[in-house]
Amino acid sequence: MILLAGGTGTLGTQVVRALVESGTPVRILTRRAERAAHLTGDGIEVCVGDIRHQGAIESAVRGATMVVSAVQGFAGTEPAGAKAVDLAGNSQLIRAARNVGVRRFVLVSALGAAPDSPLELRRVKYETEQTLIRSKLEWTIVRPTVYLETWRFLLDEMAAKKGSVTVFGRGTNPINFVSVRDVAALVERATRSAELAGAVLEIGGPENLTLNELVRIVLAGHDGKPRIRHVPLPAMRAASVLLRRVQPMTAALIQFGITMDTTDMTLPHDSGREAVPDLTLTWPKDVLSGD
C-alpha cells in the first residue's frame, strides 16, 4: 500500500492512475473527501486528513509501506503557503513515515530547489529535500520543470472569464514545460525501482516555449480573440515589495512571475529520462490540442 499525499491535484491525479494501472493499491490523503470524488475504483482508498496535523498523518501512514508526497502550498489558500505545507507538513509526514517503519519515501520537489534561490518556494523545497535525506528513509526526489497542464488551465480560465490574458513580464524568456503525465510516470517508476533510491531526478519536456508562444497557442482555441496584456517588470517588482506583508501569497506569485521572466527556466540535463530511458515523452502540442 502506498500513501499518496497531494493525490487530488493536477499531478496527483495522474500519479494515482499510474500507480493503479501498475497494480499498486493507493491510499489518498486529502483534506476534503469531495476533492477525491473523481478518483474511484479498485485499489483506491481515500483518507481524510490535513498534512499539517500530526494525528491525521499518523493515522494515514499506518499500514503503508511507502509514501509519495506531491503536496504543494504555493498557490493554495494557506496564509503561510509553502512553509506551512511543503516544509512543515512534509516534515511531519517524513517523521510519521519513519516512526511507523515505512520503507520508502518519494518526494516531488521542483527544478531549481536550492538554499540560495531568489524564489522562496525553491528554498523551501530544498529544505524539505534535506529533511528527507537526513531522515534515514530510503528516498527518491523528483524535480520537475513547470507543469504545462497547469499553465494551460490558467490561461484558458483567464481567457474564458475575462476575455483577456495577463502575461507577467515580457513573456520572451524560454521556459521548459513538462506534462504531468511524464512526471507521474517517473514517480510511479521510482516507487518500484530500487536503482532509483538515493537519486535526485530532474525531468522536463522535449521543448521550450516562451509565455508569449504558449499564450498564442492556447488563445487560438478561443473565440473572440481574447486580448493579451503585459505587466511590466518594474511594476511587478514594486508590487511584490508592497504586497509582501499584507498579501504574501499574491507577492509570492508575482515574484514567481519575475523569476520566470528573468532567469534560466530551461533544463540542460534531464537526469530523469537518463535514468529511465523508456519514460513517456509528451510533446506540448499533444497537451495543448487536448489529446
Side-chain angles (χ1 to χ4, degrees), residues 174-240:
I175 300 168
N176 187 273
F177 290 93
V178 64
S179 171
V180 292
R181 307 172 196 173
D182 298 356
V183 181
L186 181 58
V187 169
E188 187 278 325
R189 189 69 66 90
T191 65
R192 58 183 175 87
S193 300
E195 64 271 18
L196 297 182
V200 178
L201 304 172
E202 297 183 340
I203 177 173
E207 64 180 346
N208 303 320
L209 292 172
T210 68
L211 274 181
N212 287 339
E213 290 171 336
L214 180 61
V215 167
R216 284 195 293 268
I217 295 170
V218 171
L219 294 191
H222 285 261
D223 296 327
K225 295 183 180 180
R227 301 184 309 277
I228 301 174
R229 183 173 69 94
H230 287 262
V231 180
L233 282 169
M236 293 171 64
R237 292 190 174 102
S240 176

Side-chain angles (χ1 to χ4, degrees), residues 109-188:
S109 183
L111 183 71
D116 58 349
S117 171
L119 196 63
E120 183 188 44
L121 172 67
R122 291 175 174 174
R123 297 195 300 271
V124 168
K125 292 287 191 183
Y126 177 81
E127 193 172 346
T128 304
E129 291 178 359
Q130 297 308 301
T131 299
L132 176 58
I133 292 169
R134 292 192 299 265
S135 72
K136 307 302 182 184
L137 290 168
E138 186 178 295
W139 56 267
T140 302
I141 294 168
V142 177
R143 290 178 174 178
T145 59
V146 181
Y147 296 150
L148 182 57
E149 286 86 350
T150 298
W151 277 88
R152 177 192 179 186
F153 172 79
L154 290 172
L155 294 172
D156 273 332
E157 188 175 46
M158 274 195 286
K161 289 184 177 181
K162 300 179 179 180
S164 65
V165 167
T166 300
V167 176
F168 291 99
R170 301 160 300 170
T172 58
N173 196 35
I175 300 168
N176 187 273
F177 290 93
V178 64
S179 171
V180 292
R181 307 172 196 173
D182 298 356
V183 181
L186 181 58
V187 169
E188 187 278 325

Side-chain angles (χ1 to χ4, degrees), residues 51-62:
I51 193 174
R52 297 167 299 176
H53 299 160
Q54 189 64 33
I57 290 176
E58 290 178 352
S59 176
V61 171
R62 198 166 293 116

Side-chain angles (χ1 to χ4, degrees), residues 75-98:
T77 57
E78 167 58 45
K83 287 185 178 179
V85 178
D86 292 83
L87 181 56
N90 269 322
S91 296
Q92 291 194 122
L93 187 59
I94 291 166
R95 189 180 311 116
R98 183 187 58 208

